[in-house]
Amino acid sequence: QIPRLDDDSGEPTASVDIAPPINLDEVFHQSVGLGKMEERGEPAGGFSTAPNSKSNEREEQASLLSLVPGEVQRAIESLLVFTTGALFLSFLLAGIAITWDAYVIATKTSLPDSLVGIFGVIEPNFTNIGISFLASSSSLGVFKIAQLSNPGAVYSEINDLEEDGR
């Protein structure tokens, strides 16, 4: 309680109750149904030996990629990185070409005859190239998430591998 002072005499005349501080993290976790590990009955570290349907589902999902050999995973990853890069470069160059075409139209000049046919192909396919780039980069992201969520996956930097002599 904090005493409130009267304006005239300086004597305390009333008191105000102050609520204890609120931990916003706890309020948020309770509102979304999360609690401390001890409250959920999980040991420290989040690993449980008790059968749990959610953990079994996670292990089954993660183990699907573990059936694919490492060489095949590297080949898939290389293909996705290459196609994402190639589609990004194509999308960028097509955007520059379309911008140049718009500049030519705005300045009322003409394109060289050798480029008119190329622009006739680039402009209608610009959206398709963008959608293909989005699909390829999304596929790469999903593939990397699947790789890194595998319980047996070990992440290491290239420098770490060089130090180990691999």
Side-chain angles (χ1 to χ4, degrees), residues 103-166:
Y103 172 76
V104 167
I105 291 171
T107 58
K108 298 184 190 255
T109 58
S110 62
L111 286 170
D113 292 335
S114 59
L115 296 178
V116 172
I118 295 172
F119 278 80
V121 174
I122 291 175
E123 289 177 355
N125 291 310
F126 180 72
T127 303
N128 296 334
I129 295 170
I131 291 171
S132 299
F133 166 68
L134 177 64
S136 179
S137 64
S138 298
S139 298
L140 177 61
V142 168
F143 183 72
K144 292 307 288 182
I145 288 171
Q147 279 184 325
L148 293 174
S149 66
N150 188 347
V154 177
Y155 176 79
S156 63
E157 296 286 332
I158 293 174
N159 294 337
D160 294 341
L161 294 174
E162 291 172 357
E163 290 174 5
D164 291 342
R166 292 184 201 167

Short mmCIF file of all heavy atoms in Angstrom, two decimals, residues 103-166:
data_model
loop_
_atom_site.label_atom_id
_atom_site.label_comp_id
_atom_site.label_asym_id
_atom_site.label_seq_id
_atom_site.Cartn_x
_atom_site.Cartn_y
_atom_site.Cartn_z
N TYR A 103 10.96 1.39 -71.63
CA TYR A 103 11.71 2.62 -71.91
C TYR A 103 11.67 2.94 -73.40
O TYR A 103 11.47 4.10 -73.80
CB TYR A 103 13.16 2.46 -71.45
CG TYR A 103 14.04 3.60 -71.87
CD1 TYR A 103 13.99 4.82 -71.23
CD2 TYR A 103 14.93 3.46 -72.94
CE1 TYR A 103 14.79 5.88 -71.61
CE2 TYR A 103 15.74 4.51 -73.34
CZ TYR A 103 15.67 5.71 -72.69
OH TYR A 103 16.46 6.75 -73.08
N VAL A 104 11.81 1.91 -74.23
CA VAL A 104 11.78 2.11 -75.69
C VAL A 104 10.41 2.62 -76.11
O VAL A 104 10.31 3.53 -76.95
CB VAL A 104 12.15 0.79 -76.41
CG1 VAL A 104 11.81 0.85 -77.89
CG2 VAL A 104 13.62 0.47 -76.21
N ILE A 105 9.36 2.08 -75.53
CA ILE A 105 8.01 2.53 -75.87
C ILE A 105 7.79 3.97 -75.40
O ILE A 105 7.21 4.79 -76.12
CB ILE A 105 6.96 1.56 -75.27
CG1 ILE A 105 7.04 0.22 -76.00
CG2 ILE A 105 5.56 2.15 -75.36
CD1 ILE A 105 6.21 -0.87 -75.36
N ALA A 106 8.27 4.28 -74.19
CA ALA A 106 8.07 5.62 -73.64
C ALA A 106 8.83 6.69 -74.43
O ALA A 106 8.36 7.82 -74.56
CB ALA A 106 8.48 5.66 -72.17
N THR A 107 9.99 6.33 -74.92
CA THR A 107 10.80 7.30 -75.68
C THR A 107 10.47 7.28 -77.17
O THR A 107 11.08 8.02 -77.95
CB THR A 107 12.29 7.03 -75.48
OG1 THR A 107 12.60 5.70 -75.90
CG2 THR A 107 12.70 7.24 -74.04
N LYS A 108 9.53 6.43 -77.57
CA LYS A 108 9.07 6.32 -78.96
C LYS A 108 10.21 6.00 -79.93
O LYS A 108 10.29 6.53 -81.04
CB LYS A 108 8.33 7.58 -79.40
CG LYS A 108 7.09 7.82 -78.57
CD LYS A 108 6.33 9.00 -79.08
CE LYS A 108 5.29 9.34 -78.13
NZ LYS A 108 4.10 9.25 -77.99
N THR A 109 11.10 5.13 -79.47
CA THR A 109 12.15 4.61 -80.34
C THR A 109 11.79 3.17 -80.65
O THR A 109 10.74 2.68 -80.24
CB THR A 109 13.53 4.70 -79.67
OG1 THR A 109 13.51 3.98 -78.45
CG2 THR A 109 13.93 6.15 -79.40
N SER A 110 12.65 2.49 -81.36
CA SER A 110 12.32 1.10 -81.72
C SER A 110 13.44 0.17 -81.27
O SER A 110 14.61 0.56 -81.16
CB SER A 110 12.11 0.97 -83.23
OG SER A 110 13.30 1.31 -83.91
N LEU A 111 13.03 -1.06 -80.98
CA LEU A 111 13.98 -2.10 -80.61
C LEU A 111 14.68 -2.61 -81.86
O LEU A 111 14.11 -2.58 -82.96
CB LEU A 111 13.25 -3.27 -79.95
CG LEU A 111 12.75 -3.09 -78.54
CD1 LEU A 111 11.86 -4.26 -78.15
CD2 LEU A 111 13.91 -3.01 -77.57
N PRO A 112 15.90 -3.13 -81.71
CA PRO A 112 16.53 -3.79 -82.86
C PRO A 112 15.68 -4.99 -83.29
O PRO A 112 15.04 -5.66 -82.47
CB PRO A 112 17.88 -4.25 -82.30
CG PRO A 112 18.13 -3.42 -81.09
CD PRO A 112 16.78 -3.04 -80.57
N ASP A 113 15.63 -5.23 -84.59
CA ASP A 113 14.80 -6.29 -85.14
C ASP A 113 15.14 -7.67 -84.55
O ASP A 113 14.27 -8.52 -84.41
CB ASP A 113 14.93 -6.34 -86.66
CG ASP A 113 14.33 -5.11 -87.33
OD1 ASP A 113 13.43 -4.50 -86.70
OD2 ASP A 113 14.74 -4.76 -88.45
N SER A 114 16.41 -7.87 -84.19
CA SER A 114 16.81 -9.17 -83.66
C SER A 114 16.23 -9.43 -82.26
O SER A 114 16.10 -10.58 -81.86
CB SER A 114 18.34 -9.28 -83.61
OG SER A 114 18.86 -8.25 -82.78
N LEU A 115 15.86 -8.37 -81.54
CA LEU A 115 15.34 -8.53 -80.18
C LEU A 115 13.81 -8.56 -80.11
O LEU A 115 13.26 -8.94 -79.09
CB LEU A 115 15.86 -7.41 -79.27
CG LEU A 115 17.37 -7.39 -79.05
CD1 LEU A 115 17.75 -6.21 -78.17
CD2 LEU A 115 17.84 -8.68 -78.41
N VAL A 116 13.14 -8.16 -81.17
CA VAL A 116 11.69 -8.10 -81.15
C VAL A 116 11.10 -9.49 -80.91
O VAL A 116 10.16 -9.66 -80.11
CB VAL A 116 11.14 -7.48 -82.47
CG1 VAL A 116 9.63 -7.60 -82.54
CG2 VAL A 116 11.58 -6.04 -82.58
N GLY A 117 11.64 -10.51 -81.53
CA GLY A 117 11.14 -11.88 -81.36
C GLY A 117 11.39 -12.40 -79.95
O GLY A 117 10.54 -13.10 -79.37
N ILE A 118 12.54 -12.05 -79.39
CA ILE A 118 12.86 -12.50 -78.03
C ILE A 118 11.91 -11.86 -77.02
O ILE A 118 11.43 -12.53 -76.10
CB ILE A 118 14.33 -12.17 -77.69
CG1 ILE A 118 15.27 -12.97 -78.60
CG2 ILE A 118 14.64 -12.45 -76.24
CD1 ILE A 118 16.72 -12.58 -78.50
N PHE A 119 11.62 -10.57 -77.21
CA PHE A 119 10.71 -9.88 -76.28
C PHE A 119 9.30 -10.44 -76.38
O PHE A 119 8.55 -10.42 -75.41
CB PHE A 119 10.70 -8.37 -76.56
CG PHE A 119 11.86 -7.66 -75.93
CD1 PHE A 119 13.11 -7.69 -76.51
CD2 PHE A 119 11.71 -6.98 -74.75
CE1 PHE A 119 14.18 -7.05 -75.95
CE2 PHE A 119 12.76 -6.33 -74.16
CZ PHE A 119 14.02 -6.37 -74.76
N GLY A 120 8.94 -10.95 -77.57
CA GLY A 120 7.63 -11.56 -77.75
C GLY A 120 7.49 -12.85 -76.94
O GLY A 120 6.38 -13.27 -76.61
N VAL A 121 8.61 -13.48 -76.59
CA VAL A 121 8.59 -14.69 -75.78
C VAL A 121 8.73 -14.35 -74.30
O VAL A 121 8.08 -14.95 -73.43
CB VAL A 121 9.72 -15.65 -76.22
CG1 VAL A 121 9.82 -16.85 -75.30
CG2 VAL A 121 9.52 -16.10 -77.65
N ILE A 122 9.58 -13.37 -73.99
CA ILE A 122 9.88 -13.04 -72.59
C ILE A 122 8.66 -12.44 -71.88
O ILE A 122 8.31 -12.85 -70.77
CB ILE A 122 11.07 -12.06 -72.51
CG1 ILE A 122 12.35 -12.77 -72.92
CG2 ILE A 122 11.22 -11.49 -71.11
CD1 ILE A 122 13.56 -11.86 -73.00
N GLU A 123 8.03 -11.47 -72.51
CA GLU A 123 6.94 -10.74 -71.84
C GLU A 123 5.78 -11.63 -71.41
O GLU A 123 5.33 -11.55 -70.28
CB GLU A 123 6.47 -9.58 -72.71
CG GLU A 123 7.48 -8.47 -72.76
CD GLU A 123 7.07 -7.33 -73.69
OE1 GLU A 123 6.03 -7.46 -74.37
OE2 GLU A 123 7.80 -6.33 -73.74
N PRO A 124 5.26 -12.52 -72.28
CA PRO A 124 4.13 -13.35 -71.83
C PRO A 124 4.52 -14.39 -70.77
O PRO A 124 3.67 -14.86 -70.02
CB PRO A 124 3.66 -14.05 -73.10
CG PRO A 124 4.37 -13.45 -74.23
CD PRO A 124 5.53 -12.69 -73.70
N ASN A 125 5.80 -14.73 -70.70
CA ASN A 125 6.24 -15.78 -69.77
C ASN A 125 6.87 -15.22 -68.49
O ASN A 125 7.36 -16.00 -67.65
CB ASN A 125 7.23 -16.72 -70.46
CG ASN A 125 6.55 -17.55 -71.50
OD1 ASN A 125 5.52 -18.15 -71.24
ND2 ASN A 125 7.10 -17.57 -72.70
N PHE A 126 6.85 -13.91 -68.30
CA PHE A 126 7.47 -13.30 -67.12
C PHE A 126 6.82 -13.82 -65.83
O PHE A 126 7.52 -14.21 -64.88
CB PHE A 126 7.37 -11.78 -67.21
CG PHE A 126 7.99 -11.07 -66.04
CD1 PHE A 126 9.37 -11.02 -65.91
CD2 PHE A 126 7.22 -10.44 -65.09
CE1 PHE A 126 9.96 -10.38 -64.84
CE2 PHE A 126 7.79 -9.78 -64.02
CZ PHE A 126 9.17 -9.75 -63.90
N THR A 127 5.51 -13.87 -65.78
CA THR A 127 4.81 -14.35 -64.59
C THR A 127 5.09 -15.83 -64.35
O THR A 127 5.30 -16.25 -63.21
CB THR A 127 3.30 -14.11 -64.73
OG1 THR A 127 3.07 -12.72 -64.95
CG2 THR A 127 2.55 -14.57 -63.48
N ASN A 128 5.14 -16.61 -65.43
CA ASN A 128 5.43 -18.04 -65.29
C ASN A 128 6.83 -18.27 -64.73
O ASN A 128 7.04 -19.17 -63.91
CB ASN A 128 5.27 -18.75 -66.63
CG ASN A 128 3.85 -18.71 -67.14
OD1 ASN A 128 2.92 -18.59 -66.37
ND2 ASN A 128 3.70 -18.78 -68.45
N ILE A 129 7.79 -17.45 -65.16
CA ILE A 129 9.16 -17.57 -64.63
C ILE A 129 9.16 -17.22 -63.15
O ILE A 129 9.80 -17.90 -62.34
CB ILE A 129 10.12 -16.66 -65.42
CG1 ILE A 129 10.25 -17.12 -66.87
CG2 ILE A 129 11.50 -16.62 -64.76
CD1 ILE A 129 10.98 -16.14 -67.77
N GLY A 130 8.44 -16.17 -62.77
CA GLY A 130 8.36 -15.77 -61.36
C GLY A 130 7.72 -16.84 -60.49
O GLY A 130 8.20 -17.15 -59.39
N ILE A 131 6.65 -17.45 -60.98
CA ILE A 131 5.98 -18.51 -60.23
C ILE A 131 6.88 -19.74 -60.12
O ILE A 131 6.95 -20.38 -59.07
CB ILE A 131 4.62 -18.85 -60.88
CG1 ILE A 131 3.66 -17.67 -60.68
CG2 ILE A 131 4.04 -20.14 -60.30
CD1 ILE A 131 2.37 -17.80 -61.45
N SER A 132 7.60 -20.05 -61.20
CA SER A 132 8.52 -21.19 -61.17
C SER A 132 9.65 -20.94 -60.17
O SER A 132 10.06 -21.86 -59.43
CB SER A 132 9.11 -21.43 -62.56
OG SER A 132 8.09 -21.73 -63.47
N PHE A 133 10.17 -19.72 -60.13
CA PHE A 133 11.21 -19.37 -59.16
C PHE A 133 10.67 -19.52 -57.73
O PHE A 133 11.34 -20.07 -56.86
CB PHE A 133 11.72 -17.94 -59.40
CG PHE A 133 12.52 -17.39 -58.26
CD1 PHE A 133 13.76 -17.92 -57.94
CD2 PHE A 133 12.03 -16.34 -57.50
CE1 PHE A 133 14.49 -17.42 -56.88
CE2 PHE A 133 12.76 -15.84 -56.44
CZ PHE A 133 13.99 -16.38 -56.13
N LEU A 134 9.47 -19.03 -57.50
CA LEU A 134 8.86 -19.14 -56.17
C LEU A 134 8.69 -20.61 -55.78
O LEU A 134 9.00 -21.01 -54.65
CB LEU A 134 7.51 -18.43 -56.15
CG LEU A 134 6.72 -18.52 -54.85
CD1 LEU A 134 7.48 -17.83 -53.72
CD2 LEU A 134 5.35 -17.92 -55.02
N ALA A 135 8.22 -21.44 -56.71
CA ALA A 135 8.03 -22.87 -56.42
C ALA A 135 9.37 -23.56 -56.15
O ALA A 135 9.47 -24.37 -55.22
CB ALA A 135 7.32 -23.54 -57.59
N SER A 136 10.38 -23.22 -56.92
CA SER A 136 11.69 -23.85 -56.73
C SER A 136 12.32 -23.43 -55.41
O SER A 136 12.85 -24.27 -54.68
CB SER A 136 12.61 -23.48 -57.90
OG SER A 136 13.88 -24.06 -57.73
N SER A 137 12.26 -22.15 -55.08
CA SER A 137 12.86 -21.70 -53.82
C SER A 137 12.07 -22.23 -52.63
O SER A 137 12.66 -22.58 -51.60
CB SER A 137 12.95 -20.18 -53.78
OG SER A 137 11.68 -19.59 -53.80
N SER A 138 10.76 -22.34 -52.75
CA SER A 138 9.95 -22.92 -51.68
C SER A 138 10.27 -24.39 -51.50
O SER A 138 10.37 -24.88 -50.37
CB SER A 138 8.47 -22.74 -51.96
OG SER A 138 8.13 -21.38 -52.02
N SER A 139 10.44 -25.10 -52.59
CA SER A 139 10.81 -26.52 -52.51
C SER A 139 12.16 -26.70 -51.85
O SER A 139 12.34 -27.61 -51.03
CB SER A 139 10.84 -27.15 -53.91
OG SER A 139 9.59 -27.08 -54.51
N LEU A 140 13.10 -25.83 -52.17
CA LEU A 140 14.41 -25.90 -51.53
C LEU A 140 14.28 -25.65 -50.02
O LEU A 140 14.89 -26.34 -49.21
CB LEU A 140 15.36 -24.87 -52.16
CG LEU A 140 16.76 -24.78 -51.55
CD1 LEU A 140 17.50 -26.10 -51.67
CD2 LEU A 140 17.55 -23.66 -52.22
N GLY A 141 13.48 -24.68 -49.64
CA GLY A 141 13.28 -24.38 -48.23
C GLY A 141 12.64 -25.54 -47.49
O GLY A 141 13.06 -25.91 -46.39
N VAL A 142 11.61 -26.13 -48.07
CA VAL A 142 10.94 -27.27 -47.44
C VAL A 142 11.90 -28.46 -47.33
O VAL A 142 11.94 -29.15 -46.30
CB VAL A 142 9.66 -27.66 -48.23
CG1 VAL A 142 9.11 -29.00 -47.79
CG2 VAL A 142 8.62 -26.57 -48.10
N PHE A 143 12.71 -28.67 -48.35
CA PHE A 143 13.67 -29.76 -48.33
C PHE A 143 14.70 -29.56 -47.22
O PHE A 143 15.03 -30.48 -46.48
CB PHE A 143 14.35 -29.88 -49.70
CG PHE A 143 15.31 -31.02 -49.81
CD1 PHE A 143 14.85 -32.32 -49.87
CD2 PHE A 143 16.68 -30.79 -49.84
CE1 PHE A 143 15.74 -33.38 -49.97
CE2 PHE A 143 17.57 -31.84 -49.93
CZ PHE A 143 17.10 -33.15 -50.00
N LYS A 144 15.20 -28.33 -47.08
CA LYS A 144 16.19 -28.04 -46.03
C LYS A 144 15.56 -28.18 -44.65
O LYS A 144 16.20 -28.68 -43.72
CB LYS A 144 16.79 -26.65 -46.20
CG LYS A 144 17.66 -26.49 -47.43
CD LYS A 144 18.75 -27.53 -47.52
CE LYS A 144 19.84 -27.31 -46.51
NZ LYS A 144 20.93 -28.29 -46.60
N ILE A 145 14.32 -27.75 -44.49
CA ILE A 145 13.64 -27.92 -43.20
C ILE A 145 13.50 -29.41 -42.89
O ILE A 145 13.73 -29.84 -41.75
CB ILE A 145 12.27 -27.22 -43.21
CG1 ILE A 145 12.46 -25.71 -43.16
CG2 ILE A 145 11.41 -27.69 -42.04
CD1 ILE A 145 11.18 -24.93 -43.37
N ALA A 146 13.14 -30.20 -43.88
CA ALA A 146 13.00 -31.64 -43.66
C ALA A 146 14.35 -32.26 -43.29
O ALA A 146 14.42 -33.12 -42.41
CB ALA A 146 12.45 -32.31 -44.92
N GLN A 147 15.42 -31.81 -43.92
CA GLN A 147 16.74 -32.32 -43.59
C GLN A 147 17.14 -31.95 -42.17
O GLN A 147 17.62 -32.80 -41.41
CB GLN A 147 17.80 -31.77 -44.55
CG GLN A 147 17.88 -32.47 -45.87
CD GLN A 147 19.01 -31.91 -46.72
OE1 GLN A 147 19.30 -30.73 -46.68
NE2 GLN A 147 19.63 -32.78 -47.50
N LEU A 148 16.97 -30.71 -41.80
CA LEU A 148 17.44 -30.24 -40.50
C LEU A 148 16.52 -30.65 -39.36
O LEU A 148 16.94 -30.63 -38.20
CB LEU A 148 17.61 -28.72 -40.52
CG LEU A 148 18.73 -28.24 -41.44
CD1 LEU A 148 18.74 -26.72 -41.51
CD2 LEU A 148 20.08 -28.76 -41.00
N SER A 149 15.28 -31.05 -39.64
CA SER A 149 14.39 -31.51 -38.58
C SER A 149 14.55 -33.00 -38.31
O SER A 149 13.96 -33.52 -37.37
CB SER A 149 12.94 -31.19 -38.92
OG SER A 149 12.53 -31.93 -40.05
N ASN A 150 15.34 -33.68 -39.11
CA ASN A 150 15.61 -35.09 -38.90
C ASN A 150 16.41 -35.24 -37.60
O ASN A 150 17.41 -34.57 -37.41
CB ASN A 150 16.42 -35.63 -40.09
CG ASN A 150 16.60 -37.12 -40.05
OD1 ASN A 150 16.33 -37.78 -39.05
ND2 ASN A 150 17.06 -37.66 -41.17
N PRO A 151 15.95 -36.11 -36.68
CA PRO A 151 16.64 -36.24 -35.39
C PRO A 151 18.10 -36.66 -35.53
O PRO A 151 18.92 -36.32 -34.69
CB PRO A 151 15.85 -37.32 -34.64
CG PRO A 151 14.59 -37.51 -35.38
CD PRO A 151 14.78 -36.98 -36.76
N GLY A 152 18.45 -37.35 -36.58
CA GLY A 152 19.83 -37.78 -36.77
C GLY A 152 20.70 -36.77 -37.48
O GLY A 152 21.89 -37.02 -37.70
N ALA A 153 20.14 -35.62 -37.86
CA ALA A 153 20.90 -34.62 -38.60
C ALA A 153 21.86 -33.90 -37.67
O ALA A 153 21.54 -33.57 -36.54
CB ALA A 153 19.96 -33.62 -39.26
N VAL A 154 23.07 -33.66 -38.18
CA VAL A 154 24.06 -32.89 -37.45
C VAL A 154 24.48 -31.74 -38.34
O VAL A 154 24.95 -31.95 -39.46
CB VAL A 154 25.29 -33.76 -37.10
CG1 VAL A 154 26.36 -32.92 -36.41
CG2 VAL A 154 24.89 -34.93 -36.23
N TYR A 155 24.27 -30.52 -37.85
CA TYR A 155 24.61 -29.33 -38.64
C TYR A 155 26.03 -28.93 -38.32
O TYR A 155 26.45 -28.89 -37.17
CB TYR A 155 23.66 -28.18 -38.29
CG TYR A 155 24.01 -26.90 -39.00
CD1 TYR A 155 23.66 -26.71 -40.32
CD2 TYR A 155 24.71 -25.89 -38.36
CE1 TYR A 155 23.97 -25.56 -40.98
CE2 TYR A 155 25.05 -24.73 -39.01
CZ TYR A 155 24.67 -24.57 -40.32
OH TYR A 155 25.01 -23.41 -40.98
N SER A 156 26.81 -28.63 -39.36
CA SER A 156 28.16 -28.12 -39.15
C SER A 156 28.49 -27.18 -40.29
O SER A 156 28.01 -27.32 -41.41
CB SER A 156 29.17 -29.26 -39.07
OG SER A 156 29.20 -29.97 -40.28
N GLU A 157 29.32 -26.20 -39.98
CA GLU A 157 29.77 -25.23 -40.97
C GLU A 157 30.88 -25.85 -41.81
O GLU A 157 31.53 -26.82 -41.41
CB GLU A 157 30.29 -23.97 -40.27
CG GLU A 157 29.23 -23.22 -39.50
CD GLU A 157 28.27 -22.47 -40.40
OE1 GLU A 157 28.67 -22.09 -41.53
OE2 GLU A 157 27.12 -22.28 -39.99
N ILE A 158 31.15 -25.27 -42.96
CA ILE A 158 32.20 -25.78 -43.83
C ILE A 158 33.55 -25.72 -43.12
O ILE A 158 34.35 -26.63 -43.23
CB ILE A 158 32.23 -24.99 -45.16
CG1 ILE A 158 30.95 -25.28 -45.94
CG2 ILE A 158 33.45 -25.34 -45.98
CD1 ILE A 158 30.80 -24.45 -47.20
N ASN A 159 33.80 -24.66 -42.36
CA ASN A 159 35.06 -24.54 -41.64
C ASN A 159 35.23 -25.67 -40.63
O ASN A 159 36.34 -26.15 -40.40
CB ASN A 159 35.15 -23.19 -40.92
CG ASN A 159 35.21 -22.04 -41.91
OD1 ASN A 159 35.61 -22.22 -43.05
ND2 ASN A 159 34.79 -20.87 -41.47
N ASP A 160 34.14 -26.10 -39.99
CA ASP A 160 34.20 -27.20 -39.04
C ASP A 160 34.61 -28.49 -39.75
O ASP A 160 35.38 -29.29 -39.20
CB ASP A 160 32.86 -27.41 -38.36
CG ASP A 160 32.46 -26.25 -37.47
OD1 ASP A 160 33.35 -25.46 -37.11
OD2 ASP A 160 31.25 -26.12 -37.17
N LEU A 161 34.12 -28.70 -40.95
CA LEU A 161 34.45 -29.89 -41.70
C LEU A 161 35.92 -29.89 -42.11
O LEU A 161 36.58 -30.91 -42.11
CB LEU A 161 33.56 -30.04 -42.93
CG LEU A 161 32.07 -30.29 -42.66
CD1 LEU A 161 31.30 -30.27 -43.98
CD2 LEU A 161 31.87 -31.60 -41.94
N GLU A 162 36.44 -28.71 -42.49
CA GLU A 162 37.84 -28.61 -42.88
C GLU A 162 38.77 -28.90 -41.72
O GLU A 162 39.81 -29.52 -41.87
CB GLU A 162 38.12 -27.23 -43.48
CG GLU A 162 37.46 -27.01 -44.82
CD GLU A 162 37.57 -25.57 -45.30
OE1 GLU A 162 38.13 -24.73 -44.56
OE2 GLU A 162 37.13 -25.31 -46.43
N GLU A 163 38.39 -28.47 -40.52
CA GLU A 163 39.20 -28.71 -39.34
C GLU A 163 39.21 -30.18 -38.97
O GLU A 163 40.21 -30.69 -38.46
CB GLU A 163 38.68 -27.88 -38.16
CG GLU A 163 38.92 -26.40 -38.32
CD GLU A 163 38.26 -25.58 -37.23
OE1 GLU A 163 37.70 -26.17 -36.28
OE2 GLU A 163 38.31 -24.33 -37.32
N ASP A 164 38.10 -30.88 -39.24
CA ASP A 164 38.03 -32.31 -38.94
C ASP A 164 38.74 -33.16 -39.99
O ASP A 164 38.91 -34.34 -39.80
CB ASP A 164 36.56 -32.77 -38.86
CG ASP A 164 35.85 -32.19 -37.65
OD1 ASP A 164 36.55 -31.74 -36.71
OD2 ASP A 164 34.60 -32.19 -37.64
N GLY A 165 39.13 -32.55 -41.10
CA GLY A 165 39.82 -33.26 -42.16
C GLY A 165 38.91 -33.98 -43.11
O GLY A 165 39.31 -34.91 -43.79
N ARG A 166 37.66 -33.59 -43.20
CA ARG A 166 36.71 -34.24 -44.10
C ARG A 166 36.75 -33.62 -45.46
O ARG A 166 36.97 -32.55 -45.74
CB ARG A 166 35.28 -34.14 -43.55
CG ARG A 166 35.10 -34.94 -42.32
CD ARG A 166 33.68 -34.88 -41.87
NE ARG A 166 33.62 -35.22 -40.46
CZ ARG A 166 32.59 -35.04 -39.71
NH1 ARG A 166 31.49 -34.53 -40.19
NH2 ARG A 166 32.60 -35.37 -38.45
#
